[in-house]
C-alpha cells in the first residue's frame, strides 16, 4: 500500500513581497515592449513628398518596411495571435506541469522572439516574430495573477493585484519614452535587443529557483512521487514481459512487448483526448458562470478603446495638437495616471470591502465618468485643456484594473483560475485590442480626421460601463476558498498559509500481511 503525506518545509527566502516585485518587473518589461513598438521613435512614419517635389525619407519600422496604416495596425496586434493560441494551452498544462516552470519556458521564448524582432527584414518577418512574442507572454499572463492572489494578505488582495496591473500603463508609458529615445539617438532595432537583455535573468530564474505551488493544484512533489511509483511498477511488469522464465529474451515476450508499445501509443492518444475533454468541461463551467461572462464582456469593450489609445495615441496627439514630443507627453501622462489610478482603484475596493458586487460598482462608475472626461478632452482645440481633462479621464479608467481581475479570480474555483485568466486575456484581445488597432487605422484612412476618430473610439467606453453596471445585480459568490478537485487530500490544502512556504511529500510503502 502506498501512503502519501505532506510535511512542511522551511519558509523560502523568496517571500510573497519578493514574488510581487519580480512579477511586477516582468510585467513592466512586457508592456515596455508594447509601448516601444507603438512609439513614434520605433514605429516611425512613412516618407512624405511636398507639392514642390521635396521628399523626406520614412523613419522607424513603418518607414523602413513601407507599411500602410492598416499593416502598421496589424503589426501591433500580431503578437496577440501567439498569445491567443498559447494562453489556453499553458493554462491547461498547469494541471500537469508546475506552473512556475511554465512561466520560465514562456519567458525564454519571449526573449528569443524579441531578439529576432530586431533582426527582422520585412513586414512578414517582424510579424512572425511578434507572434512568437505573444506565445512567450502567454504563460506569464495566465499564471502570474493566481500566484499573487494566493500570497497576498487577505485584506490587501485587490491592492496587490492593482500594483501588478499598474505595470500595464506604466510599461506602455515607459515604452513610449524608451522607444522615442532609442529611435532618436540610434536605430529602432536596438530597442528590442535592450528588452531581451532585461528579460533574460528572469527567464533563467524560472528554471533555477525552487518551483512555487498554486492553490488548487496537486503539489509538484506529490506528482513526482506518484509518477516515480507508477514508473517503478511499470518497469517491474515490463521486465516480466520482456524476459523468459530463464531470463532470456522470449518470442512470447517480443509479442507482448509489441502489444505494450501499441498500447502506449493508444494511451498517449487517450491522454490527449482526456486533456481536450477536461478543457471543454472547464470551458462549459466558465461560459455558464454569468458573473464571469458579464465581467469579460465589459472588459472586451473597455480594452477595445484602451488598445487603440495605446497604439494610436501618440500619433493622434501629434496630428491633432501638433505635439512635437508626443511620445514623451503621452508617456508621462499615462505613467502618472496609470500608477495613481490603478493603485487607487485597488485601495478603494479594499476600503469598500473586497467583494464581487462592490467591484462591479467601482468598474461601472469609474469607466462612465472616465469616458465623459476623455470625450470632453478631444472636443477642445487647446492642447493644455485637452491634457488636463484627458489626464483625469485616464486616472478614472485605469482604476478598473484591480477590480476587473479580482472578479476573474474570485468568481471561479481555485483550480479554474489559470484558465479563467487565460480565456479572459484571449477574449479581451481577440475581440478588443486585436481588431481595434487596424480598425481605427481603417477608420482614419477613410475620414482622415484624427479628432473625429478619437471621439468615435472614446464613446465605446459608455457601453462598457453599462455592461459592468448589469453585473451589480447578478447573484455572486466568492469561491476563493472552495475545495478543488485537484487537491489529492484534505491534508494538502494550504489555503490558510502562503504557498511560498512550500510542502514536502513523503512516500512510504508497506505490505499487508496475509
Amino acid at each position: 500500500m502506498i501512503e502519501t503525506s505532506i510535511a512542511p518545509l522551511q519558509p523560502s527566502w523568496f517571500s510573497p513581497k519578493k514574488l510581487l516585485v519580480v512579477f511586477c518587473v516582468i510585467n513592466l518589461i512586457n508592456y515596455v515592449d508594447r509601448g516601444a513598438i507603438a512609439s513614434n521613435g520605433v514605429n516611425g512614419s512613412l516618407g512624405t513628398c511636398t507639392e514642390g517635389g521635396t521628399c523626406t525619407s520614412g523613419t522607424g519600422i513603418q518607414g523602413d518596411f513601407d507599411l500602410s496604416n492598416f499593416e502598421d495596425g496589424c503589426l501591433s496586434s500580431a503578437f496577440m495571435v501567439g498569445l491567443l493560441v498559447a494562453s489556453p494551452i499553458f493554462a491547461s498544462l498547469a494541471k500537469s506541469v508546475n506552473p512556475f516552470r511554465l512561466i520560465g519556458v514562456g519567458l525564454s521564448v519571449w526573449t528569443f522572439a524579441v531578439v529576432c524582432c530586431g533582426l527582422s527584414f520585412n513586414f512578414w518577418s517582424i510579424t512572425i516574430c511578434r507572434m512568437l512574442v505573444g506565445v512567450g507572454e502567454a504563460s506569464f499572463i495566465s499564471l502570474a495573477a493566481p500566484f499573487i492572489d494566493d500570497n497576498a494578505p487577505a485584506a490587501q488582495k485587490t491592492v496587490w493585484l492593482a500594483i501588478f496591473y499598474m505595470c500595464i500603463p506604466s510599461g506602455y508609458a515607459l515604452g513610449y519614452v524608451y522607444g522615442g529615445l532609442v529611435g532618436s539617438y540610434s536605430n529602432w532595432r536596438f530597442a528590442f535587443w535592450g528588452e531581451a537583455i532585461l528579460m533574460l535573468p528572469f527567464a533563467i530564474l524560472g528554471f533555477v529557483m525552487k518551483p512555487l505551488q498554486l492553490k488548487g493544484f496537486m503539489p509538484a512533489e506529490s506528482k513526482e512521487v506518484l509518477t516515480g511509483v507508477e514508473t517503478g511498477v511499470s518497469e517491474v511488469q515490463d521486465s516480466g514481459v520482456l524476459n523468459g522464465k530463464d531470463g532470456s529474451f522470449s518470442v512470447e515476450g517480443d509479442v507482448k512487448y509489441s502489444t505494450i508499445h501499441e498500447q502506449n501509443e493508444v494511451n498517449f492518444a487517450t491522454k490527449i483526448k482526456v486533456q481536450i475533454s477536461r478543457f471543454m468541461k472547464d470551458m462549459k463551467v466558465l461560459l455558464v458562470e454569468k458573473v464571469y461572462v458579464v465581467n469579460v464582456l465589459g472588459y472586451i469593450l473597455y480594452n477595445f478603446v484602451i488598445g487603440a489609445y495605446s497604439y494610436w495615441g501618440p500619433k493622434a496627439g501629434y496630428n491633432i495638437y501638433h505635439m512635437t514630443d508626443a511620445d514623451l507627453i503621452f508617456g508621462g501622462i499615462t505613467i502618472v495616471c496609470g500608477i495613481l489610478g490603478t493603485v487607487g482603484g485597488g485601495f478603494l475596493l479594499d476600503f469598500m470591502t473586497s467583494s464581487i458586487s462592490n467591484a462591479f460598482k467601482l468598474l461601472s462608475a469609474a469607466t462612465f465618468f472616465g469616458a465623459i472626461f476623455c470625450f470632453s478632452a478631444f472636443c477642445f482645440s487647446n492642447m493644455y485643456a485637452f491634457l488636463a481633462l484627458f489626464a483625469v479621464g485616464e486616472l478614472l479608467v485605469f482604476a478598473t484594473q484591480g477590480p476587473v481581475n479580482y472578479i476573474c479570480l474570485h468568481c471561479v474555483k481555485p483550480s479554474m483560475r489559470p484558465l479563467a485568466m487565460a480565456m479572459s486575456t484571449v477574449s479581451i484581445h481577440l475581440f478588443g485590442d486585436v481588431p481595434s488597432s487596424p480598425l481605427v487605422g481603417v477608420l482614419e484612412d477613410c475620414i482622415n480626421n484624427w479628432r473625429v476618430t478619437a471621439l468615435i473610439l472614446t464613446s465605446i467606453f459608455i457601453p462598457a460601463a453599462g455592461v459592468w453596471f448589469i453585473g451589480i445585480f447578478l447573484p455572486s459568490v466568492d469561491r476563493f476558498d472552495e475545495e478543488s478537485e485537484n487537491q489529492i487530500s484534505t491534508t494538502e490544502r494550504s489555503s490558510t498559509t502562503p504557498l511560498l512556504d512550500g510542502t514536502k511529500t513523503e512516500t512510504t510503502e508497506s505490505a499487508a500481511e496475509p
Side-chain angles (χ1 to χ4, degrees), residues 85-165:
V85 173
S87 291
I89 295 174
F90 278 114
S92 298
L93 285 175
K95 293 189 174 183
S96 55
V97 180
N98 185 274
F100 200 75
R101 290 290 184 258
L102 289 176
I103 290 177
V105 171
L107 296 182
S108 300
V109 174
W110 190 96
T111 304
F112 170 77
V114 168
V115 171
C116 292
C117 285
L119 299 173
S120 57
F121 50 87
N122 60 17
F123 170 70
W124 285 110
S125 64
I126 194 170
T127 298
I128 292 171
C129 292
R130 296 305 296 173
M131 291 179 185
L132 285 176
V133 170
V135 172
E137 190 177 334
S139 65
F140 181 74
I141 56 100
S142 301
L143 300 168
F147 272 119
I148 293 172
D149 193 43
D150 280 352
N151 294 282
Q156 298 177 351
K157 285 186 178 294
T158 315
V159 172
W160 278 45
L161 287 172
I163 292 172
F164 175 70
Y165 285 104

Side-chain angles (χ1 to χ4, degrees), residues 487-500:
Q487 292 169 304
I488 58 175
S489 70
T490 314
T491 60
E492 289 186 53
R493 295 176 199 150
S494 52
S495 61
T496 58
T497 58
L499 296 178
L500 291 175

Side-chain angles (χ1 to χ4, degrees), residues 230-304:
E230 291 173 359
T231 303
V233 173
S234 176
E235 288 176 353
V236 171
Q237 291 176 339
D238 289 349
S239 64
V241 170
L242 295 174
N243 296 286
K245 292 180 180 179
D246 58 352
S248 60
F249 193 81
S250 65
V251 175
E252 181 181 357
D254 186 24
V255 174
K256 290 183 179 180
Y257 176 76
S258 299
T259 303
I260 289 175
H261 182 69
E262 293 173 358
Q263 288 176 345
N264 287 338
E265 292 180 351
V266 173
N267 288 340
F268 178 76
T270 302
K271 288 179 181 179
I272 296 296
K273 291 180 180 178
V274 169
Q275 289 287 345
I276 295 174
S277 176
R278 179 186 296 171
F279 173 76
M280 297 305 295
K281 178 183 175 182
D282 290 344
M283 281 299 301
K284 182 178 179 180
V285 172
L286 285 180
L287 291 175
V288 299
E289 179 55 63
K290 295 179 181 178
V291 171
Y292 179 81
V293 172
V294 168
N295 186 53
V296 172
L297 285 176
Y299 205 5
I300 289 170
L301 294 169
Y302 168 90
N303 215 53
F304 187 95

Side-chain angles (χ1 to χ4, degrees), residues 65-76 123 127 311:
F65 299 153
D66 194 27
L67 307 180
S68 67
N69 281 338
F70 177 73
E71 289 175 324
D72 200 14
C74 288
L75 183 61
S76 75
F123 170 70
T127 298
Y311 192 74

